[in-house]
């Protein structure tokens, strides 16, 4: 803050917020690219069928190496990256981890890495692709409920449900994100009343995130397959060196798979409330590189600003103290609910599938299946979720 004058910081946050609003939730009605890119879009649109028919790798081998020069603007870049990301994950994991590949063919690797560099994102499918950019309104003039996804893995409506519930959770967070520049402004100008109101808006927004998720999860969904296709090629037994991006880098590269840890909304709320996840700080820091650049910058600007926590403590104001703690408890409750959902719909089904594999195919050594303990739905993921939930709970301001 020493280097940032208050108004610069405030302007910085508001400006970031606008960018954030554009890249996070703005309606990406764009669902098509110029016809030149039909080879990508046709494969991506047909992915479940090609994967289930074990045709995808053959189709990719036939794909021409296309230039990215005909892509115009942020939205076309995000849509092209989304399509190439789905194809890449399907290409790598179509065999469920038993027939892994070491090389991503240049027809995919070259444009995917070119676009990813332009967007400052890693060449692997991330949460901002498959959740924030992977949706459209079936009826453009209709209400938000008539949503559909643009691309999917095998698993039909389960994919759609999981991607869309994540999107609705993010959409509910928007009101809380919008309150953040107001909070920073209130701290800089000592506006205790507006600060308390804005904190109440954040708490309400986080409560709404949980309510929306619960309203969707009441219907069963076996979406653990999604985590098959969202799996890492970093620290993964199945691809110990990572993936060679043909025509881009000579050596293999490792990248993390998709995860809710890449959600910028939760990291915004953590930074706002001064919640430091010491044991996961390195991984969460890495995850910022897997977020849209505007989101990353918003979080970094927020982190460089005044401490809300210290300000509330310094005022000794009971109303602010209660409003702050309501935000913390709502965030802990959301994380507890996320753990329930992940256990019920990912970890338990994945464990059941591993047991079936062991019965059917003899001993499946740890790490020889994408459903290994280390996979997104594995116990490592659950330990991570529980650790950040517990740290959140402890972040309550103690009685004055
Ligand atoms: N590849 C990939 C890929 C990996 C993960 C996701 N989505 C995901 O984890 N959403 C989270 C979620 C699902 N259900 C519930 S209840 C509470 C929450 C929450 C939350 C915070 C806001 C993130 N959630 C999508 C794609």
């Amino acid at each position: 803050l020493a280097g940032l004058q208050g108004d610069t910081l405030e302007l910085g946050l508001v400006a970031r917020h606008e960018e954030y609003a554009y890249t996070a939730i703005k309606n990406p009605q764009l669902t098509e690219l110029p016809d030149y890119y039909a080879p990508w879009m046709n494969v991506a649109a047909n992915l479940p069928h090609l994967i289930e028919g074990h045709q995808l790798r053959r189709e990719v081998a036939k794909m021409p190496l296309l230039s990215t020069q005909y892509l115009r603007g942020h939205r076309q870049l995000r849509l092209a990256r989304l399509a190439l990301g789905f194809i890449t994950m399907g290409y790598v994991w179509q065999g469920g981890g038993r027939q892994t590949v070491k090389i991503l063919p240049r027809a995919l690797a070259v444009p995917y890495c070119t676009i990813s560099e332009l967007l400052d994102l890693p060449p692997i499918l991330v949460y901002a692709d498959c959740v924030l950019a992977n949706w459209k309104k079936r009826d453009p003039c209709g209400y938000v409920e008539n949503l559909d996804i643009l691309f999917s893995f095998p698993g039909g409506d389960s994919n759609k449900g999981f991607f869309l519930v994540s999107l609705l959770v993010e959409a509910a967070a928007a009101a809380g994100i919008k309150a953040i520049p107001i909070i920073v402004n209130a701290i800089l100008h000592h506006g205790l009343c507006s600060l308390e109101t804005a904190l109440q808006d954040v708490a309400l927004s986080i409560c709404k995130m949980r309510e929306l998720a619960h309203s969707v999860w009441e219907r069963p969904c076996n979406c653990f397959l999604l985590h098959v296709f969202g799996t890492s090629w970093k620290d993964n037994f199945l691809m110990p060196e990572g993936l060679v991006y043909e025509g881009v880098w000579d050596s293999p590269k490792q990248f993390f798979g998709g995860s809710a840890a890449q959600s910028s909304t939760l990291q915004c709320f953590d930074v706002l409330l001064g919640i430091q996840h010491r044991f996961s700080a390195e991984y969460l820091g890495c995850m910022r590189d897997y977020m849209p650049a505007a989101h990353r910058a918003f979080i970094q600007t927020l982190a460089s600003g005044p401490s809300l926590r210290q300000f509330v403590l310094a005022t000794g104001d009971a109303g602010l103290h209660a409003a702050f703690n309501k935000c913390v408890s709502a965030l802990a409750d959301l994380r507890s609910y996320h753990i329930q959902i992940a256990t019920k719909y990912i970890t338990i089904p994945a464990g059941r599938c591993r047991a079936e594999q062991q019965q059917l195919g003899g001993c499946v050594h740890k790490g020889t299946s994408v459903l290994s303990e280390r996979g997104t739905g594995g116990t490592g993921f659950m330990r991570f979720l529980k650790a950040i939930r517990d740290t959140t709970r402890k972040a309550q301001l103690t009685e004055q």
Side-chain angles (χ1 to χ4, degrees), residues 127 130-131 162-163 166 169-170 213 217 227 230 258-260 263 266 334 337-338 341:
Y127 187 86
C130 54
V131 175
F162 192 70
F163 289 143
S166 308
V169 167
E170 294 290 333
W217 284 122
H227 290 282
S259 155
S263 162
L266 283 202
L334 174 67
Y337 184 66
H338 188 194
I341 294 301

Side-chain angles (χ1 to χ4, degrees), residues 13-72:
L13 272 175
V14 171
R16 300 267 186 240
H17 163 68
E18 288 311 312
E19 285 172 25
Y20 187 102
Y22 171 72
T23 54
I25 309 289
K26 191 139 179 98
N27 186 343
Q29 271 308 329
L30 186 80
T31 57
E32 289 167 9
L33 293 177
D35 291 346
Y36 172 79
Y37 297 105
W40 298 350
M41 301 304 273
N42 292 343
V43 170
N46 204 14
L47 208 59
H49 176 72
L50 291 172
I51 291 172
E52 285 161 347
H54 300 286
Q55 300 291 317
L56 178 60
R57 289 177 181 167
R58 191 171 306 150
E59 282 303 306
V60 169
K62 292 189 294 190
M63 277 170 69
L65 175 54
L66 299 180
S67 163
T68 56
Q69 63 179 322
Y70 306 112
L71 293 170
R72 291 284 175 272

Side-chain angles (χ1 to χ4, degrees), residues 315-372:
T315 63
D317 183 288
L320 283 179
H321 195 277
F324 181 95
N325 278 347
K326 185 85 182 77
C327 294
V328 173
S329 56
L331 195 53
D333 290 347
L334 174 67
R335 286 180 154 141
S336 291
Y337 184 66
H338 188 194
I339 290 165
Q340 286 176 45
I341 294 301
T343 305
K344 180 176 180 183
Y345 290 116
I346 300 169
T347 308
I348 291 172
R352 196 178 296 130
C353 188
R354 274 198 300 276
E356 285 162 9
Q357 281 179 344
Q358 282 164 354
Q359 282 166 2
L360 292 173
C363 176
V364 174
H365 297 290
K366 190 189 275 283
T368 54
S369 154
V370 75
L371 298 176
S372 71

Side-chain angles (χ1 to χ4, degrees), residues 24-272:
I25 309 289
K26 191 139 179 98
N27 186 343
Q29 271 308 329
L30 186 80
T31 57
E32 289 167 9
L33 293 177
D35 291 346
Y36 172 79
Y37 297 105
W40 298 350
M41 301 304 273
N42 292 343
V43 170
N46 204 14
L47 208 59
H49 176 72
L50 291 172
I51 291 172
E52 285 161 347
H54 300 286
Q55 300 291 317
L56 178 60
R57 289 177 181 167
R58 191 171 306 150
E59 282 303 306
V60 169
K62 292 189 294 190
M63 277 170 69
L65 175 54
L66 299 180
S67 163
T68 56
Q69 63 179 322
Y70 306 112
L71 293 170
R72 291 284 175 272
H74 182 85
R75 287 188 187 187
Q76 285 198 4
L77 287 171
R78 289 287 293 270
L79 180 57
R81 186 188 139 84
L82 178 68
L84 294 172
F86 266 86
I87 299 170
T88 295
M89 304 313 277
Y91 183 87
V92 171
W93 299 118
Q94 96 162 5
R98 276 177 293 285
Q99 305 105 10
T100 48
V101 293
K102 296 194 185 315
I103 298 175
L104 188 68
R106 66 181 64 244
L108 266 180
V110 172
Y112 192 29
C113 290
T114 303
I115 295 166
S116 297
E117 189 172 3
L118 289 171
L119 289 172
D120 195 7
L121 284 166
I124 189 169
L125 194 72
V126 299
Y127 187 86
D129 297 316
C130 54
V131 175
L132 304 187
N134 185 27
W135 67 280
K136 64 179 179 180
K137 286 184 177 179
R138 278 198 297 267
D139 166 8
C141 305
Y143 291 105
V144 74
E145 285 70 24
N146 76 125
L147 294 176
D148 205 347
I149 54 176
L150 302 183
F151 301 112
S152 177
F153 295 117
D157 279 352
S158 292
N159 269 248
K160 174 176 171 181
F162 192 70
F163 289 143
L164 290 183
V165 73
S166 308
L167 180 72
L168 290 175
V169 167
E170 294 290 333
I177 299 292
K178 285 179 181 174
I180 291 177
I182 297 168
I183 287 169
V184 173
N185 186 39
I187 293 170
L188 294 172
H189 299 95
H190 232 81
L192 300 198
C193 289
S194 55
L195 176 56
E196 185 170 337
T197 304
L199 282 174
Q200 289 162 351
D201 291 343
V202 170
L204 198 59
S205 170
I206 298 172
C207 289
K208 190 73 182 165
M209 291 169 78
R210 186 187 181 289
E211 285 165 23
L212 266 174
H214 182 64
S215 68
V216 176
W217 284 122
E218 285 172 322
R219 294 184 295 276
C221 156
N222 69 331
C223 52
F224 89 91
L225 247 188
L226 167 76
H227 290 282
V228 170
F229 290 102
T231 298
S232 243
W233 41 88
K234 180 173 175 56
D235 305 332
N236 188 328
F237 287 77
L238 298 165
M239 300 173 70
E241 295 183 325
L243 183 69
V244 171
Y245 290 76
E246 187 184 39
V248 181
W249 297 296
D250 295 335
S251 57
K253 301 295 177 190
Q254 298 193 43
F255 294 103
F256 287 107
S259 155
Q262 296 166 358
S263 162
S264 35
T265 46
L266 283 202
Q267 287 215 31
C268 280
F269 293 140
D270 277 336
V271 169
L272 174 75

Side-chain angles (χ1 to χ4, degrees), residues 381-395:
F381 173 65
M382 295 309 288
R383 277 199 300 271
F384 164 74
L385 288 182
K386 288 173 181 172
I388 58 173
R389 185 271 314 272
D390 294 345
T391 306
T392 305
R393 277 183 176 153
K394 293 171 190 164

